[in-house]
Structure formats: C-alpha cells, structure tokens
Amino acid sequence: MIQGSWRASENLLLASTYSASGECVTGTTLPRVAWLESVTGYRAAGAGWELTAASGAVVATLTIDGKPDAIPTAAEFYTEPPVITEAMRETLRLPASLPPEFTPATPDGLVGRWVPISPSGATDPHVLFAADGTWTGSDGCNGGQGRWAADGHGALLATAGASTLIACEGAPVPSWVSEARVAAVDGGVLRLLDAVRAELGQLKRY
C-alpha cells in the first residue's frame, strides 16, 4: 500500500505520496506514483472525473467502483470509503474572492525565489517555486518542500512534506506556502492569503 495526501480547490488538485508498506517498499527510496503526481487539476466527466496535467492533457479518468480488496499488509479499514462530514466539506470550499485592488498571481509569475519583506537577521527564510511544479523553502532553520499549482486567477494550492521542528527566529515561509489558497501581486509584492482571505505573509523576489 502507498499512502499520501491531497488538496483541491474548485479546479486545482495536488497529490503527493509520503509512505508505503509491504511489497511497495523498495530499499530506502519512497515509491512514486508518477501519473498521480503529474496531476494539477480536475474536471467532471460523466459519472466520474478527469484528472489533468498542467498542459491540460488528461492523465486519468476516475470513477467510484466500490472499494478496494483488502491486502495482508494493511488494516481492513483502509478499504472503506471515507465518511464525508460537513467539516470536511468546509475545508474544500472555495476561498474568498481576491480583493479587487490585487492582481492575481500567475503560474509564470510565481516561478522564482522569494523572501519575506521584513528581514530576519542571520537566517535565510525563503521559498523557491520551480517551473516543474515543485517548491522548496525554509523558515531559516527548517526546510520544507512539496508541489504547487496556480490557476492564473489567484488560486494557489501547495502540498508539504515532513519537516524538522527546530526553534527559529526566521519567518514561517513554508507554512505560509502550504496554508495559502490565494496568491496576489500588489506593487511587486507577493501576498499569500488563506481560504478566508486572511494574510499569511508578504514576500519579494530575491
């Protein structure tokens, strides 16, 4: 069995693997699900969903077909479908609209290295959005990494992997990135906002 995490908005979807068990474990390398990790969006298709890459190409079409067979290396509850609660639906609701005075950040406009507007002394908090849809960053002491996608209209999604928990005087840039649902440009400043449009942080190119 391979496990991972996923995040979605109205039209963006990201998934990443973080663990494996049984025959899926091969040495010290975490198995990759390449087709799934190439997905950045989705759209309705009949009774199912088409998963799409950044180019718009359809990567896979998914439909609900019951539940998976049990396997010896995993508890049986993993074969049961999730119970959809109102709290779960709330996390998937659309974020608040972008303030009219802001310009939506585009995928091309996000690519590059960004640092907090306010300096943080000797540490080096930053985030690097790569063109391949991955990001790396640091709060000055702890590293972070994951996948990211933007729709060009202000929506931003990012996944984040495990990180160390060293106390740091830097800015929590990786947390800003993973919690952001909206990315806007204001006078050359990148502003990351959460789903209720509360500002997480401001960054500049470096």
Side-chain angles (χ1 to χ4, degrees):
M1 183 173 67
I2 299 174
Q3 291 178 280
S5 61
W6 64 276
R7 299 192 73 186
S9 66
E10 183 180 28
N11 55 9
L12 298 175
L13 172 66
L14 292 177
S16 299
T17 58
Y18 57 66
S19 70
S21 63
E23 294 178 358
C24 290
V25 179
T26 54
T28 59
T29 302
L30 183 67
R32 300 284 304 279
V33 185
W35 69 268
L36 182 58
E37 294 188 22
S38 70
V39 170
T40 60
Y42 69 102
R43 58 187 177 231
W49 301 92
E50 290 180 340
L51 306 187
T52 58
S55 64
V58 175
V59 176
T61 300
L62 303 183
T63 57
I64 296 175
D65 67 345
K67 63 181 184 179
D69 296 330
I71 57 176
T73 56
E76 189 171 351
F77 71 80
Y78 284 113
T79 68
E80 299 298 327
V83 177
I84 308 299
T85 65
E86 187 56 35
M88 184 181 295
R89 292 186 186 280
E90 186 63 29
T91 65
L92 298 174
R93 295 191 196 283
L94 291 177
S97 59
L98 194 66
E101 66 272 21
F102 293 164
T103 301
T106 64
D108 288 345
L110 285 169
V111 172
R113 192 176 191 274
W114 299 83
V115 298
I117 290 292
S118 301
S120 56
T123 62
D124 180 31
H126 67 277
V127 60
L128 174 63
F129 292 107
D132 66 357
T134 61
W135 69 269
T136 55
S138 172
D139 63 3
C141 304
N142 305 281
Q145 62 180 339
R147 298 182 61 219
W148 70 276
D151 67 358
H153 302 288
L156 172 68
L157 277 186
T159 62
S163 177
T164 54
L165 297 173
I166 302 171
C168 192
E169 295 182 359
V173 177
S175 295
W176 294 350
V177 173
S178 63
E179 294 173 18
R181 297 291 298 279
V182 176
V185 179
D186 180 17
V189 174
L190 175 60
R191 303 179 70 163
L192 299 180
L193 291 73
D194 65 14
V196 296
R197 212 167 65 182
E199 187 168 86
L200 298 164
Q202 299 184 14
L203 302 107
K204 62 183 178 181
R205 285 194 178 276
Y206 180 80

